[in-house]
Amino acid sequence: MERKYVRETRCFKTARVFPTDVNNHNTLFGGKLMSYIDDIASIAASKLCRVNTVTASTDSVDFLYPINPTDSVTLESFASWTGRSSMEIFVKVIREDLKTGEKKIAATAFLTFVALDENNRKLIVPRIIPETEEENKLYETAPARAAMRKQRRAESKNFTDFLTVSYPWE
């Protein structure tokens, strides 16, 4: 079984917050940040597998502090755990006030990706090897998150039995 160090999947993205990026509260629009999160998470997933990957779920996005127009936003992403064909990707969002230099964790996110071959069949992914305290903590707590994901997915599938596919105008 192939193994990779978590550091081999790590990637970063930094952006400035522009006036077109903010919402009616004059903070970074959540949808914009979620787009950044999915983008960088997909890169970490691809760095782990070096094959096509697809977002299976956005497990959680926790907005902890607002990101202001005077801030830059840096996203750090890496594989935090792997299953057979799926991988959990962690994203840490750091806001930095460009005037004072103050930094704060503004958001965290967990996403699940699946590795696919050229026929869109699931592939086995490499196991990861955590090294730092942060990586080890995320790795050790991953099985509990995986169990919650599995339960939530089953509940979502069951729930779809009660949902309609008809439009109101039909």
Side-chain angles (χ1 to χ4, degrees), residues 70-71 95-103:
T70 56
D71 297 335
R95 75 169 201 199
E96 179 179 353
D97 187 305
L98 293 173
K99 292 183 179 175
T100 67
E102 178 193 11
K103 294 179 189 173

Side-chain angles (χ1 to χ4, degrees), residues 16-28:
R16 180 181 283 276
V17 179
F18 287 107
T20 56
D21 299 331
V22 300
N23 57 27
N24 57 317
H25 302 288
N26 203 36
T27 59
L28 182 64

Side-chain angles (χ1 to χ4, degrees), residues 1-6 8 48 82 125-130 139:
M1 174 59 58
E2 184 183 2
R3 296 172 62 89
K4 286 191 175 181
Y5 290 100
V6 169
E8 295 178 76
L48 174 67
T82 54
V125 299
R127 300 293 147 234
I128 61 162
I129 304 166
Y139 187 81

Side-chain angles (χ1 to χ4, degrees), residues 4 41-53 87 89:
K4 286 191 175 181
S42 73
I43 295 169
S46 293
K47 288 176 78 169
L48 174 67
C49 303
R50 299 297 178 184
V51 297
N52 291 331
T53 62
M87 63 213 91
I89 306 295

Side-chain angles (χ1 to χ4, degrees), residues 70-105:
T70 56
D71 297 335
S72 68
V73 59
T74 298
L75 293 89
E76 177 182 357
S77 180
F78 53 87
S80 51
W81 186 77
T82 54
R84 180 173 160 73
S85 60
S86 65
M87 63 213 91
E88 178 187 82
I89 306 295
F90 174 68
V91 181
K92 176 176 30 174
V93 179
I94 303 165
R95 75 169 201 199
E96 179 179 353
D97 187 305
L98 293 173
K99 292 183 179 175
T100 67
E102 178 193 11
K103 294 179 189 173
K104 221 174 211 175
I105 304 292

Side-chain angles (χ1 to χ4, degrees), residues 26-41:
N26 203 36
T27 59
L28 182 64
F29 181 57
K32 179 82 169 183
L33 183 58
M34 290 172 71
S35 176
Y36 286 161
I37 288 169
D38 192 42
D39 180 43
I40 197 161

